[in-house]
Amino acid sequence: MVTVYHDIQGVARTASTDVLVEVLRALGAPLLGPEDAPAALRARRLEVRNHLVPPVRTGVPGRPVTVPVRIPAAESSRRLEWTLHLEGGGVTGGWSRLADLSLAGGGTLEGTAREVRRLQVGEDLPAGIHRLHARVGARRGTCHLVVAPERAFGVGCEEPLWGLAHPLYGIRHAGDWGIGDFEGLRRASEFVRAAGGDVLATLPLLATFVDEPDGYPPYRPVTRLHWNEVFVDPAVAPELAASPEARAALAGLEGLRAELRARPLVGYHRVARARHAVLAPLAAEFFRGRGPASTEFRRFLASRPTVGAYARFRAARAAAAREVEAPGGPAGPPGGPIDPEALARVHVYAQWLAERQVDRAAREGGTSLLLDFPVGVHPEGFDVWRHPHLFAAGVSVGAPPDPFFSGGQEWGVPPLRPEAMRRDGYAAFREALAFSMRAAGFLRIDHVMGLHRLFWVPAGRPATDGVYVQYPAEELAAVVRLVSHRARCEVVGEDLGTVPPEVRDLMERRGFRRTFVLGFALPDEGASLPAVPEGSVAVLGTHDMAPWPSFSAGDDLAAEARRGRIPPEEVDGLRERRLRRLARLHALLPDGPAPALAMLGRSPARLVLASLDDLLGVREPQNRPGTGVEEPNWRRRLPLPLADVADEPAVRETLRALRDARRGRDEVSRRPARSPR
């Protein structure tokens, strides 16, 4: 743990004794109070010393991995036996006299009682996560060897790219259900390609609960292993033609769908119930027919081994919470018993449809997808239920106070326990990364500082009362690199706010692309213009900020004052200061995003993203951090259907300016061509 940290103003903050005790307890330390800390610390040191080999070591392909072996000094005459199980199959092994192995570092632990020897494993290890089993007499140990390329996939591919960004739920298209869906994802990708762009970026597409009392946060998913079924479009399901029940349900919902389409905000619960009314008979038709026996479905089940358990988890929860009605949905009579087995089949079928529709969007859309990887999951979700030993109970991830959030932040997601992750060889983390990367050309890791440390806040305490817990950053980064190469997916780190220097140092060394937000980097009077980091992903703002038309006019400041976040008497001064800073950007005026995007387009960024909200002059943000159901967070829809967006003169002008700027950058670029993704 980091018991003392420096806040954004450089002030040293020390965690209280009570907080330290509660967090240590969440980490597994046997503490009742601070007086137990010395004994618990001694026990932990003894536990580490007694590990024959560490849980994890990292390496690079083609080189041996050095594994420290901890032994009592009196055992140095004995021999070490080891077996290496390669991830891709194959077993090798051998033995060595401990006395023949070189001493590591100072050689001894705790005076002369113990020593550390170095075992070199493999001369030409392939990339992968391999398991080394070691034995000295009756003592045994397992070490996971994370062998990964030194840098993430795509480093060296610096051809200038550009694209559009928008939350999927907000994308309108003809025939939608009052929410963006995976069919809309494909159409949006085609829209970007038709405009000459390369990438479509969106928020997490992972499963969420639709009955959350505090909104529908995409950054608190049920799981990081399955798609959000609310984005499935049943109207394009192959089984629709063979199911008169599904067609009748779809026809009966046309009035409701039209009502939902006309609304400016997504109604998640109503959408989910309406979809279920069609998905239920579609699932029955699928499992009644030849679908389950198809090669494609069997391949899907093999690639998604947790889908059955996930479906049963969702069905059990829905049956208990009445999350949906019995098959027949809102068009039928309310109530009636829910059959958990039938409902589980609906969830399996919905995941099957989602997989096909996401895959179609990725293949046919013509652009790369930039997907988002949340820092955590819902405390009552599938991942915590499946792996409770990996998650710390009684604490939440958050952030300490800063100028924007004087009370700090508490995000409502339980942190992963570092040592539990290491003992599993990061299996769950690796699985989650692979799931999102399989469909993405770029994966943005939310709060990338979490690879180094996370701010743990004990339950029931304000977010000001937390402490940073350290994580094995090099090991986690090695897992990210390994999965990125396997998926041919570039890695973007969200490195905004107060970020320790070691975070960006690791990003540079390991090939993680930085994030540049122009709204956070406006120059003060007399200061030079902001330098966009080479190879970064550059944007005007984020989903937590006011869109550019509102931001560049300072209108968002008045809204913050109304919510009590800014003293009303300070609004005019803050607005004037922001406008002066904007004017420093080569006469960049608050009359539209085109000049600002063009400036980013001429920068050495790898990717420049334009927000559809910015292009259409939307004034309200997708999310107001620190608020709940009093604000329509994560629900705002585009003011126009996607097909009409390109007809807007301001949109055409802005995209032309960005496209020309990127082309001009491409003409002076001497770098290799971009990756196939």
Side-chain angles (χ1 to χ4, degrees):
M1 289 194 299
V2 182
T3 56
V4 180
Y5 69 92
H6 290 82
D7 64 18
I8 197 167
Q9 296 172 331
V11 178
R13 303 289 183 181
T14 303
S16 71
T17 300
D18 289 345
V19 166
L20 292 175
V21 168
E22 291 182 56
V23 170
L24 284 169
R25 201 180 292 144
L27 284 165
L31 294 176
L32 294 178
E35 65 278 1
D36 299 323
L41 183 59
R42 287 195 298 271
R44 174 59 182 160
R45 287 174 175 166
L46 180 61
E47 178 188 4
V48 171
R49 289 200 304 269
N50 284 338
H51 287 161
L52 182 63
V53 290
V56 176
R57 291 292 285 178
T58 62
V60 297
R63 302 180 198 168
V65 177
T66 300
V67 179
V69 181
R70 297 182 176 92
I71 58 167
E75 294 185 4
S76 60
S77 61
R78 306 187 71 170
R79 76 178 196 170
L80 167 73
E81 299 175 3
W82 57 271
T83 306
L84 179 64
H85 294 257
L86 298 177
E87 182 184 9
V91 180
T92 185
W95 66 272
S96 302
R97 287 198 316 149
L98 287 167
D100 294 336
L101 301 179
S102 62
L103 289 169
T108 62
L109 289 171
E110 297 294 311
T112 59
R114 293 179 179 272
E115 61 186 24
V116 182
R117 298 275 177 169
R118 283 189 271 195
L119 171 68
Q120 284 203 326
V121 181
E123 293 298 328
D124 190 18
L125 284 177
I129 298 188
H130 317 297
R131 284 178 295 115
L132 174 73
H133 300 291
R135 183 175 70 177
V136 176
R139 299 177 64 225
R140 287 172 169 78
T142 297
C143 179
H144 297 85
L145 308 183
V146 183
V147 180
E150 292 187 275
R151 308 192 76 191
F153 177 78
V155 174
C157 300
E158 304 302 329
E159 179 185 357
L161 308 180
W162 72 273
L164 297 179
H166 199 76
L168 179 58
Y169 59 76
I171 293 177
R172 295 178 181 266
H173 70 86
D176 70 45
W177 295 53
I179 190 173
D181 51 35
F182 293 133
E183 175 65 14
L185 186 71
R186 182 183 66 83
R187 297 187 186 191
S189 182
E190 291 176 342
F191 175 85
V192 174
R193 174 53 66 190
D198 309 280
V199 175
L200 172 65
T202 190
L203 300 187
L205 304 179
L206 301 168
T208 59
F209 291 132
V210 296
D211 57 350
E212 285 289 87
D214 57 347
Y216 314 93
Y219 290 94
R220 193 168 59 174
V222 175
T223 174
R224 295 192 290 191
L225 294 176
H226 298 284
W227 301 117
N228 196 334
E229 295 164 18
V230 79
F231 295 140
V232 169
D233 186 359
V236 297
E239 290 71 32
L240 189 63
S243 174
E245 296 89 348
R247 293 198 304 276
L250 189 62
L253 289 167
E254 186 50 49
L256 176 62
R257 291 172 62 196
E259 177 193 339
L260 293 172
R261 276 197 299 272
R263 291 179 175 273
L265 302 176
V266 174
Y268 284 93
H269 193 64
R270 299 182 73 193
V271 169
R273 288 174 50 151
R275 287 211 196 288
H276 176 76
V278 182
L279 285 172
L282 287 174
E285 177 64 34
F286 178 80
F287 284 101
R288 190 165 51 234
R290 296 178 55 86
S294 70
T295 301
E296 191 176 1
F297 184 69
R298 291 199 303 269
R299 189 180 300 122
F300 162 75
L301 292 179
S303 68
R304 300 276 294 281
T306 64
V307 71
Y310 170 74
R312 290 189 294 274
F313 169 84
R314 291 303 298 258
R317 187 184 189 279
R322 304 296 300 176
E323 191 176 75
V324 297
E325 294 184 11
I338 290 178
D339 180 354
E341 287 300 319
L343 193 51
R345 287 194 292 273
V346 175
H347 281 287
V348 171
Y349 175 73
Q351 286 298 316
W352 159 241
L353 279 186
E355 184 82 359
R356 298 180 72 184
Q357 291 179 8
V358 171
D359 182 65
R360 185 184 179 201
R363 285 187 295 103
E364 298 180 10
T367 67
S368 289
L369 298 178
L370 188 154
L371 301 183
D372 217 334
F373 189 74
V375 70
V377 295
H378 196 288
E380 299 176 14
F382 175 70
D383 289 0
V384 177
W385 172 83
R386 181 181 175 223
H387 293 302
H389 69 286
L390 290 179
F391 294 89
V395 288
S396 172
V397 176
D402 60 34
F404 293 101
F405 300 97
S406 59
Q409 300 178 66
E410 190 266 308
W411 299 331
V413 298
L416 286 158
R417 299 170 64 192
E419 286 305 306
M421 296 172 72
R422 299 184 79 216
R423 285 193 295 271
D424 281 3
Y426 299 106
F429 180 64
R430 190 180 355 140
E431 190 179 22
L433 284 169
F435 177 77
S436 285
M437 285 188 179
R438 66 201 296 170
F442 295 80
L443 187 71
R444 173 188 175 272
I445 298 179
D446 183 44
H447 196 64
V448 73
M449 188 174 71
L451 300 181
H452 295 256
R453 67 184 193 183
L454 285 174
F455 196 68
W456 289 26
V457 181
R461 290 186 174 273
T464 51
D465 291 346
V467 63
Y468 275 109
V469 173
Q470 291 180 304
Y471 284 74
E474 285 290 355
E475 294 175 6
L476 288 164
V479 174
V480 174
R481 300 195 311 272
L482 175 65
V483 179
S484 83
H485 276 269
R486 288 178 168 173
R488 299 181 65 79
C489 178
E490 300 188 33
V491 178
V492 183
E494 187 263 301
D495 59 333
L496 306 176
T498 306
V499 178
E502 60 268 22
V503 175
R504 290 180 178 137
D505 174 66
L506 181 139
M507 293 177 69
E508 173 65 27
R509 289 187 292 106
R510 298 310 187 190
F512 293 11
R513 300 191 181 281
R514 288 187 55 189
T515 301
F516 178 85
V517 179
L518 184 60
F520 289 157
L522 297 178
D524 287 317
E525 293 182 75
S528 59
L529 297 177
V532 179
E534 184 172 359
S536 63
V537 173
V539 293
L540 296 184
T542 75
H543 52 261
D544 292 332
M545 297 170 60
W548 192 256
S550 178
F551 177 86
S552 58
D555 293 347
D556 60 312
L557 298 172
E560 293 295 281
R562 287 195 298 272
R563 292 168 51 227
R565 295 271 297 278
I566 297 175
E569 64 274 12
E570 295 183 13
V571 169
D572 289 342
L574 289 171
R575 180 188 284 117
E576 185 63 29
R577 182 168 178 263
R578 183 183 292 175
L579 295 179
R580 288 199 304 270
R581 295 172 73 193
L582 283 163
R584 296 268 313 147
L585 298 177
H586 291 306
L588 176 61
L589 300 176
D591 59 357
L597 284 169
M599 187 196 76
L600 294 181
R602 292 187 293 271
S603 77
R606 163 69 160 157
L607 171 63
V608 177
L609 291 171
S611 161
L612 283 174
D613 277 347
D614 290 345
L615 300 186
L616 293 173
V618 173
R619 314 290 292 192
E620 299 295 329
Q622 292 293 331
N623 177 51
R624 292 190 188 276
T627 64
V629 292
E630 71 274 12
E631 294 283 347
N633 296 330
W634 316 116
R635 297 178 62 200
R636 298 187 189 278
R637 307 190 71 205
L638 284 174
L640 296 174
L642 194 62
D644 297 337
V645 171
D647 294 333
E648 293 293 304
V651 172
R652 291 200 303 270
E653 171 61 23
T654 301
L655 294 184
R656 182 197 62 77
L658 176 56
R659 185 170 57 243
D660 290 350
R662 291 270 83 185
R663 285 175 179 169
R665 180 72 193 176
D666 197 18
E667 291 172 1
V668 301
S669 175
R670 303 291 184 182
R671 305 186 188 282
R674 70 164 178 235
S675 67
R677 293 295 292 269

